[in-house]
Amino acid sequence: MIDPNTFQFLKDLEKNNNKEWFQDHRKWYDDSKSNFIEFSSEVLEGLKLIQPDLLNTDIKKCILRINRDIRFSKDKRPYKNYFGAGFGPGGKSSGRIDFYFQIQAHDQSMLGGGMWSPSSENLAKFRQEIDYNPQDLKTLIENKDFRKYFNEIEGQRLKTKPKGYDLNHPEIELLRYKELFFLRRFKETEVCQKNFDQTIIKGCKLLKPYQDYLNALFFDDF
């Protein structure tokens, strides 16, 4: 389970986001990271039961680095204020549509997944599928249990219509999405509960049909 002390580390890091403080508190970071890895490992073991292509995935390959890439950013804070993990075949860099989980202070921990920042080719495939056969997607994302769990719909949208589609298209609201992913945020008290890993695994089970839909659409070898 996630130790409240791990959240306290993230809160203090947020206030002291500099290399000097980080090095002075290196053991605290190591302990907090180990706690997150241990919890994420429990999640991964549960996911292997529902997604066989995760069987040979090493949990360490799933964990995001805490260092920020500041080369082209005006924000020069060196560290992320959260711990994150991407669960895909081989780890976080699978290239597929995977599950994403992070813990963050101020009740911003979350589980999510879906179509985020797709290539122009994949976005075209997504819109074409909506045009030809919208019901398959709508059945997945309008499912009662799915929407009860994933109560946030995210993604950039066009203000008008995408090129090549009529403004009066019956699915114009779906066609406007340039991204379409779903999130569930959790309070710190929820994350620190004993069986919280089961809550995350439940969410992944609900999200999996949508993930599979996208992977089958985007990747010929899926």
Side-chain angles (χ1 to χ4, degrees), residues 2 39-40 42-44 46-47 50 87 99-103 109-112 149-150 184-186 190-191 195-207:
I2 296 295
F39 176 84
S40 298
E42 294 171 358
V43 172
L44 178 59
L47 295 182
I50 64 170
F87 299 102
F99 307 108
Y100 177 73
F101 171 65
Q102 77 176 39
I103 63 167
S109 299
M110 65 179 181
L111 172 67
Y149 187 101
F150 290 100
R184 169 72 177 261
R185 299 186 191 274
F186 302 97
E190 293 179 273
V191 177
N195 295 319
F196 183 65
D197 60 311
Q198 296 304 311
T199 299
I200 297 300
I201 293 168
K202 174 185 175 181
C204 291
K205 287 180 179 178
L206 290 168
L207 188 58

Side-chain angles (χ1 to χ4, degrees), residues 25-210:
H25 297 81
R26 183 79 197 196
K27 186 179 185 307
W28 193 7
Y29 162 69
D30 289 339
D31 291 344
S32 299
K33 180 181 178 182
S34 293
N35 179 227
F36 180 71
I37 291 175
E38 181 181 359
F39 176 84
S40 298
S41 181
E42 294 171 358
V43 172
L44 178 59
E45 289 307 306
L47 295 182
K48 288 178 179 179
L49 299 176
I50 64 170
Q51 191 155 319
D53 59 7
L54 294 174
L55 284 174
N56 296 319
T57 299
D58 182 348
I59 186 57
K60 292 184 179 179
K61 296 288 187 180
C62 298
I63 306 301
L64 276 64
R65 297 176 70 247
I66 200 166
N67 301 78
R68 295 180 65 246
D69 185 353
I70 60 175
R71 291 173 298 171
F72 309 108
S73 175
K74 293 182 180 180
D75 182 354
K76 297 303 181 182
R77 290 176 296 177
Y79 306 108
K80 300 167 185 171
N81 60 351
Y82 59 86
F83 288 117
F87 299 102
K92 62 182 181 294
S93 302
S94 73
R96 299 293 178 112
I97 307 295
D98 299 325
F99 307 108
Y100 177 73
F101 171 65
Q102 77 176 39
I103 63 167
Q104 186 175 348
H106 314 301
D107 296 336
Q108 293 301 303
S109 299
M110 65 179 181
L111 172 67
M115 187 177 69
W116 179 80
S117 192
S119 66
S120 56
E121 179 183 1
N122 284 344
L123 180 57
K125 290 179 180 178
F126 179 76
R127 285 176 172 156
Q128 185 180 64
E129 189 66 18
I130 293 172
D131 186 28
Y132 291 168
N133 183 22
Q135 196 55 50
D136 282 357
L137 174 63
K138 292 172 72 175
T139 297
L140 297 175
I141 65 176
E142 293 177 1
N143 175 274
K144 181 180 178 181
D145 292 334
F146 179 89
R147 292 301 298 274
K148 183 178 180 180
Y149 187 101
F150 290 100
N151 45 21
E152 291 189 41
I153 306 174
E154 299 286 345
Q156 296 183 36
R157 300 179 67 199
L158 295 172
K159 292 182 179 179
T160 181
K161 67 181 184 67
K163 185 178 180 180
Y165 293 94
D166 195 297
L167 189 60
N168 295 317
H169 192 291
E171 304 300 339
I172 190 62
E173 295 305 318
L174 275 176
L175 289 167
R176 283 189 171 124
Y177 279 102
K178 298 166 66 176
E179 304 171 317
L180 182 59
F181 55 97
F182 296 85
L183 297 178
R184 169 72 177 261
R185 299 186 191 274
F186 302 97
K187 295 181 179 180
E188 184 176 333
T189 52
E190 293 179 273
V191 177
C192 293
Q193 290 177 355
K194 185 176 181 180
N195 295 319
F196 183 65
D197 60 311
Q198 296 304 311
T199 299
I200 297 300
I201 293 168
K202 174 185 175 181
C204 291
K205 287 180 179 178
L206 290 168
L207 188 58
K208 187 177 184 297
Y210 177 49

